[in-house]
Amino acid sequence: MKLTLNETARWLLEHDDYLLLTHIRPDGDTLCSAAALARGLQTAGKHAWLLDNPGMTGRYRAYVGAYVAPAGFRPQHIVTVDTASETLFPDSAAQYRRSVELSVDHHGSNTAYAQLVCVQPEKAACGEIILALLDLLNVQLDREMAQLLYIAVSTDTGCFAYGNTTAETLYAAARLVAAGADNKSVNKEFFRTRAKSRIAVEGAVLSGLQFYRNGTIAAIVLTQEMIRKAGATEDDLENIASLPAEIEGVDAGVTVRELGPGRSKISLRTTDAVDASRICGLFGGGGHAQAAGCSIDAEPEEAASRLVRALETHWA
């Protein structure tokens, strides 16, 4: 059943003992949106915690670690945040695949796996939805919530540079800064600081950059060996998918990451010229019109070839 924001807030106020789930290879939006919702619910007198996500990096744990469920917590209601499909559950959440009551999400490709679904695809980030829900919960926005939601919104919009950024997104950011979010430090940490290992990874993937369709498609491949040689961590790999899409004249930037033998993850970033979600949907994935992903059972080079062929065949 689809819920409006008002109905979702009413449901959250009527229940208690929430466990919030985040998606596999968690980013700033899923983690910090969930943490902000947990804090908001706690402020409203509820018990709400995050399920620990094994993919959480040290950078994000510093912000959301305090909201991870303590040992012995027994949830009564399971809620997912920014998770479009059950296939995106981390292994730690496998036991909850059939018991999710509410999904709060901004992906139009949400598969409606939960009993109740609050999906707002017009939002640039799930953090915008959580901000609206906190208002409806009559929770006073404090500095901690504002900081978490600013990270959520800024990381999912490339510091407000991506095409998904709207006037409403910028208004939300302004509200968060006014409430105490330290945009200066967040912007420096997440967007203007790169480790030497990150530079090494960028050099490795760009050295193998390939162009297709008269330069309108650019593809890079990131192997586990490249990551090992660079000494890179997951923090170093954040937003690596934006690299090919930043090249002049490119309408579709393809990033293929090797997950293991015969398994590759695809990240697709596009302009209005092609629907990224539609292309990734051909491989069982999804996302947004200009940012989507999927997984392919193939070695990285073969996975890249399949994705490029799909782009060339289905180009709108």
Side-chain angles (χ1 to χ4, degrees):
M1 177 187 294
K2 293 183 178 180
L3 300 184
T4 64
L5 285 169
N6 278 291
E7 290 168 336
T8 301
R10 190 178 308 122
W11 186 87
L12 289 169
L13 287 172
E14 290 173 351
H15 300 85
D16 201 352
D17 298 318
Y18 297 104
L19 186 64
L20 309 181
L21 311 186
T22 54
H23 62 66
I24 192 171
R25 291 182 291 275
D27 58 15
D29 196 22
T30 188
L31 290 171
C32 293
S33 290
L37 178 57
R39 183 174 178 85
L41 288 169
Q42 291 172 6
T43 301
K46 306 291 184 180
H47 299 93
W49 301 96
L50 274 65
L51 177 68
D52 200 0
N53 191 319
M56 190 191 313
T57 66
R59 170 185 286 172
Y60 285 116
R61 192 170 292 277
Y63 289 97
V64 310
Y67 302 98
V68 169
F73 175 65
R74 296 181 178 275
Q76 297 299 312
H77 303 283
I78 309 301
V79 178
T80 62
V81 179
D82 192 46
T83 305
S85 166
E86 290 173 293
T87 63
L88 297 176
F89 283 24
D91 290 342
S92 60
Q95 62 182 307
Y96 301 112
R97 288 182 188 277
R98 297 292 180 265
S99 55
V100 178
E101 289 185 76
L102 173 65
S103 172
V104 180
D105 192 16
H106 72 125
H107 295 96
S109 59
N110 188 287
T111 60
Y113 57 88
Q115 297 173 33
L116 305 171
V117 180
C118 178
V119 178
Q120 303 276 310
E122 70 278 8
K123 304 293 189 184
C126 203
E128 290 185 65
I129 303 175
I130 302 304
L131 177 59
L133 284 175
L134 293 179
D135 289 339
L136 293 170
L137 292 171
N138 292 317
V139 170
Q140 181 67 40
L141 189 66
D142 63 17
R143 183 188 181 283
E144 178 74 3
M145 293 177 217
Q147 184 85 338
L148 289 165
L149 290 178
Y150 185 87
I151 295 171
V153 175
S154 64
T155 54
D156 236 33
T157 59
C159 203
F160 313 102
Y162 296 162
N164 59 341
T165 304
T166 66
E168 188 175 357
T169 309
L170 296 173
Y171 176 67
R175 280 192 60 197
L176 297 171
V177 172
D182 187 352
N183 60 310
K184 180 180 178 180
S185 66
V186 170
N187 293 348
K188 178 67 169 66
E189 178 179 359
F190 287 88
F191 306 104
R192 294 192 295 110
T193 301
R194 290 188 292 179
K196 293 178 181 178
S197 49
R198 167 64 183 231
I199 300 298
V201 166
E202 289 187 9
V205 297
L206 290 176
S207 67
L209 177 69
Q210 296 289 325
F211 291 97
Y212 306 89
R213 200 176 180 273
N214 298 318
T216 58
I217 299 173
I220 58 174
V221 169
L222 176 62
T223 66
Q224 292 186 336
E225 179 64 9
M226 290 177 182
I227 296 171
R228 186 192 66 77
K229 284 186 175 181
T233 66
E234 286 299 320
D235 282 332
D236 296 324
L237 304 180
E238 188 164 16
N239 291 325
I240 199 79
S242 66
L243 288 180
E246 293 173 353
I247 300 170
E248 183 179 8
V250 170
D251 288 314
V254 180
T255 301
V256 182
R257 177 177 174 181
E258 181 184 24
L259 297 179
R263 186 69 169 167
S264 299
K265 177 182 181 292
I266 308 292
S267 296
L268 180 60
R269 303 292 182 264
T270 65
T271 65
D272 291 334
V274 60
D275 187 332
S277 183
R278 178 179 173 229
I279 298 299
C280 289
L282 299 173
F283 300 93
H288 303 288
Q290 295 181 344
C294 62
S295 295
I296 296 178
D297 289 327
E299 297 299 326
E301 296 293 347
E302 172 60 23
S305 295
R306 293 185 191 178
L307 201 288
V308 169
R309 285 198 298 270
L311 278 167
E312 294 175 328
T313 302
H314 298 278
W315 198 277

